[in-house]
Every structure is written in structure tokens, then in C-alpha cells.
Amino acid sequence: MALAQPEQSGVLHEGAGPRTGARRGTLATTACMETLQVGYLHAVAAAAGCSLSQPFPDNGIDWHVSHGAPEHVVDDEVTIKVQLKATYQIPPRPAGATFAFTLDNEHLVKLARTPVAVHKILVVMLVPRERDQWLAAGHDRLDLRHCCYWTNLAGHPVTGRRRTTVRIPTTRIFDDRALCEIMTRVGSGGTP
């Protein structure tokens, strides 16, 4: 059996070889989306020089991210709490300054609480609908699609009966630089 080989750029052509005919497992798409966004968070935290811990049991917050730096004035290590969400219902590169994302009010209340001892952010990952489009691997990179965006919902009001729509800024791409900037602000006594 011939296997598709990466091009010189290291990325497989769409539709090449076993990529299209890969027999994927039967795990629910939502569970797979959860795993993908955790992988994204791990990659961002690693590149930012942050450590991760997962609260057990999960009390509505998925991860704690900590960042140590001697320049922090609050402490030598600061921590934020991260709630991860993922959706394929919003296309990549959303038009406009924000996109709408709906949260259960219970989650929003936890994320919107203020004042807090440890700041919280919401990270929303937009993924393609088809799992075979989620990533591409090659010799020189691993591309995860599409993107994560972050926001601080502190003080956000609950407006719906059971669910509330919040606006996620498209300028707040969640990557290693954004995480370092968040931690620098928190480390100086500010908000994310």
C-alpha cells in the first residue's frame, strides 16, 4: 500500500492518500473537539513557558495556567483559570470585530464573577465541521485548525433565561504571545 508523502513544504495535499480514507474512531465529535482544544492549550502554554494544572474534580473551570517571572509584582508566579469551549458552527475568520457565542448561564455566572482572587478567561476554539480537516502534519510543522479566541467576561450580565450570548473579540487570538501578555498584566496587578 502506498502512503501519501508530504510535499517539500511538509504539508500533505488535501485528498492525498489515506488522509481522506482514514478510518476514524467512533468517539463523539464533541469529545474529540474537547481533546483538540486541550492540545491547543498545551501547545500555547508550552510556547509561553507556562505550567498547567487541571482541577479535580472539575468545578466548572477546565484548567489553571501559571506563569513565573521575576518581573511580576504581585507574586513571582501568577495563575489564571481557563474555561475551554469549541464549536464548528462559526466559520473560520469571523467577519467583524466580534462573533457571538452562547453560554449556559451557570457557566457565565462563574466566569463573570467579580471581584476575584484568581482571574478567569474563556477560550473559544473554532474548528472545521469535518474531523479530517482539524490538523495537518508535516516535517516542519503541525497545523491545528482553525483558531482559539479569548475574552475576560468579568462583570458580564446574564441576559437570557437559560443561556446568554456573549461577544468574543476577533482581535484576541489565543496564542503564546497573547498568553504572555495576559500573564504580564495579571502579574502587575491588573486584569487579563
Side-chain angles (χ1 to χ4, degrees), residues 68-155:
E71 297 82 15
H72 292 322
V73 296
V74 175
D75 196 346
D76 63 334
E77 183 175 79
V78 295
T79 299
I80 63 169
K81 297 177 181 180
V82 176
Q83 177 65 47
L84 297 174
K85 296 289 181 185
T87 183
Y88 53 71
Q89 296 176 351
I90 300 168
R93 298 178 187 230
T98 63
F99 63 89
F101 188 79
T102 304
L103 286 169
D104 290 336
N105 287 344
E106 182 181 326
H107 282 119
L108 178 58
V109 166
K110 183 171 271 306
L111 293 169
R113 184 178 174 139
T114 187
V116 295
V118 179
H119 294 283
K120 302 172 190 108
I121 63 171
L122 171 67
V123 175
V124 178
M125 185 173 195
L126 307 184
V127 300
R129 185 175 290 272
E130 301 300 323
R131 278 190 246 176
D132 65 352
Q133 296 175 14
W134 287 3
L135 66 90
H139 294 289
D140 61 347
R141 70 179 182 258
L142 172 66
D143 295 327
L144 294 177
R145 296 183 60 211
H146 292 297
C147 189
C148 283
Y149 301 88
W150 73 275
T151 193
N152 177 6
L153 293 173

Side-chain angles (χ1 to χ4, degrees), residues 41-61:
L41 175 65
H42 278 247
V44 167
C50 293
S51 63
L52 292 168
S53 61
Q54 195 170 19
F56 182 80
D58 178 345
N59 62 351
I61 295 295

